[in-house]
Amino acid sequence: MRIAMISEHASPLAILGGEDAGGQNTHVAELSAALAAAGHEVRVYTRRDAVDLPVTVRSPDGYDVVHVPAGPAEPVAKDALLPHMKDFSTWLVHRWRGDDWAPEVIHAHFWMSGLAALAASHQTGVPVVQTYHALGTVKRRYQGVQDTSPARRVAYERELGRSVDRVVAQCQDEVGELVRMGVPRSRMTVIPSGVNLGTFAPLGPVADREPGRPRILTVGRLVERKGFQTVIRAMALVPDAECVVVGGPPAGLLETDPYARRLRALAGTCGVADRVRLVGAVPREEMGRWYRSADILVAAPWYEPFGLTPLEAMACGVPVIGTAVGGIKDTVVDGVTGDLVPARDPRALGTALQRLLDDRIRRFAYATAALERARRRYSWAATADRLAEVYDEVAAVHRPTRVVA
Ligand code: UDP
């Protein structure tokens, strides 16, 4: 099939770890690669955020990335992108009408991409599949006044859910949230993200570590809701271990990053500064080295729409201690592939960490079960297959205004 991915702020080619570059970028990159490997033609449309970007870049993984001129050709925070979505969709329609290539299905990632996709669909008849990646209701609940999302986000998300051809939820928790928002269950299919089982595997290069000192790894964009503060506080209860934090700006810029400074100050206050190490952003291809170097991966977010990092660790055969939120409740099987603890509870986390570090056999059992689960249930090839079925179904529905390439 000819598939258009729309990912307005999250380019599959971006360097990850920054404030707006994380799971969605990985998801779009891996999914597009898996669909291309299965023989589909995939074009990813993302906002042009630098002047020197060519319109189209061929990814080595067999799909095209098209840079859409919408808004200034410079980085713009994702919460400020809404006014540019109309230009984004106008450009798409123009392109698909004038080009020799038009999609049979549009898969929109994040709500603003959904708006651009739906507007383009109204003019071209191409069906739309929507993956939210994150929901405004959840963000507002946890971040309150700090949530800088556009005021109408939740209303747009509800409307999208009722208007697109299919909603793809990534976990059971998201289904519940969407139903409570007023999106009918019948419009949804649950298809989780996958994990790259080539990049993330138990064997391979390993990042250096201090012999004899257990390593607890935590990975993500350096934003408050990822719960790094909880992890640092928990370290006081795990006296012999070190905590490595991967993510954020490149290492050289950590000194000036306000949140990195806050984390370092907190580590000082908790008396664990000598055992907490911030590494900064690590390229995606090198993430496996870091997971493999860890005894335990901690994912301690306040909330998590899906959460790729637990799955990446599991695929490397690393046990996970996660907070019992969002997609982590589906990926981590409590007491089998890892442990689930309440969010924002350093004592519960610290206790679980020390218990697992003290129990080699349990760690081994978790690691084995985690690897098995990642391999059996979360390959990108399987995710791409299931999505291709959804694309087929929505494309088969007759649309009177369907565009002719
Ligand atoms: N990541 C990375 N380098 C970093 C930090 C993170 O490649 O320095 C990747 C990580 O491996 C994962 C993604 O960014 O694939 C984060 O996804 P997750 O779903 O955990 O969080 P999100 O960013 O979507 O909130």
Side-chain angles (χ1 to χ4, degrees), residues 64-99:
D64 286 337
V65 179
V66 184
H67 294 112
V68 177
E74 60 190 44
V76 174
K78 74 170 181 262
D79 287 338
L81 285 178
L82 181 59
H84 306 299
M85 288 303 108
K86 191 164 186 325
D87 287 348
F88 200 116
S89 77
T90 305
W91 192 89
L92 290 178
V93 172
H94 189 74
R95 179 99 176 173
W96 292 338
R97 286 205 168 129
D99 210 354

Side-chain angles (χ1 to χ4, degrees), residues 44 98 131 174 214-215 219 251 295 328 331 354 358 392:
V44 181
T131 298
E174 189 182 356
R215 173 171 289 176
V219 178
D295 296 287
I328 301 177
T331 44
Q354 189 57 56
D358 283 342
D392 251 347

Side-chain angles (χ1 to χ4, degrees), residues 228-244:
F228 296 118
Q229 282 144 292
T230 313
V231 183
I232 289 173
R233 289 202 171 94
M235 288 306 292
L237 297 172
V238 198
D240 297 326
E242 67 166 353
C243 171
V244 172

Side-chain angles (χ1 to χ4, degrees), residues 16-17 21-24 26 200 219-221 225-226 246-248 280-284 287 291 304 306-310 312:
L16 305 187
Q24 186 177 327
T26 306
F200 300 106
V219 178
R221 295 174 291 123
R225 69 110 169 154
K226 288 287 179 186
V246 165
V282 166
R284 195 141 54 95
M287 286 301 301
Y291 288 119
E304 190 58 272
F306 182 72
L308 284 171
T309 66
E312 291 169 349

Side-chain angles (χ1 to χ4, degrees), residues 96-318:
W96 292 338
R97 286 205 168 129
D99 210 354
D100 57 353
W101 194 92
E104 292 162 275
V105 64
I106 307 171
H107 187 165
H109 298 266
F110 204 59
W111 66 279
M112 281 184 286
S113 298
L115 296 184
L118 206 56
S121 170
H122 285 151
Q123 295 194 49
T124 60
V126 183
V128 177
V129 174
Q130 173 72 32
T131 298
Y132 288 97
H133 290 275
L135 289 172
T137 43
V138 181
K139 191 167 186 189
R140 180 57 51 89
R141 190 180 310 144
Y142 289 96
Q143 300 204 348
V145 289
Q146 284 174 12
D147 177 10
T148 53
S149 302
R152 286 182 47 76
R153 173 174 177 179
V154 175
Y156 279 131
E157 286 180 336
R158 178 180 303 111
E159 209 39 51
L160 262 181
R162 293 174 175 173
S163 311
V164 295
D165 296 79
R166 190 74 62 86
V167 170
V168 172
Q170 293 192 270
C171 63
Q172 293 303 334
D173 194 75
E174 189 182 356
V175 171
E177 293 289 348
L178 286 164
V179 167
R180 279 193 288 280
M181 265 167 62
V183 178
R185 176 68 181 87
S186 56
R187 307 185 66 83
M188 298 174 212
T189 304
V190 180
I191 305 180
S193 264
V195 61
N196 186 324
L197 297 169
T199 313
F200 300 106
L203 293 178
V206 177
D208 288 343
R209 56 178 278 177
E210 199 185 315
R213 196 188 266 297
R215 173 171 289 176
I216 293 162
L217 177 71
T218 184
V219 178
R221 295 174 291 123
L222 284 194
V223 293
E224 197 161 15
R225 69 110 169 154
K226 288 287 179 186
F228 296 118
Q229 282 144 292
T230 313
V231 183
I232 289 173
R233 289 202 171 94
M235 288 306 292
L237 297 172
V238 198
D240 297 326
E242 67 166 353
C243 171
V244 172
V245 183
V246 165
L253 298 176
L254 282 171
E255 276 308 318
T256 51
D257 182 85
Y259 190 63
R261 291 167 70 122
R262 266 175 70 193
L263 290 181
R264 284 196 168 132
L266 177 66
T269 317
C270 297
V272 298
D274 57 331
R275 297 187 288 118
V276 172
R277 180 174 154 210
L278 272 58
V279 170
V282 166
R284 195 141 54 95
E285 331 57 91
E286 286 184 29
M287 286 301 301
R289 292 176 60 234
W290 288 93
Y291 288 119
R292 283 187 286 269
S293 77
D295 296 287
I296 300 173
L297 181 280
V298 174
W302 303 350
Y303 66 93
E304 190 58 272
F306 182 72
L308 284 171
T309 66
L311 207 48
E312 291 169 349
M314 287 165 70
C316 291
V318 175

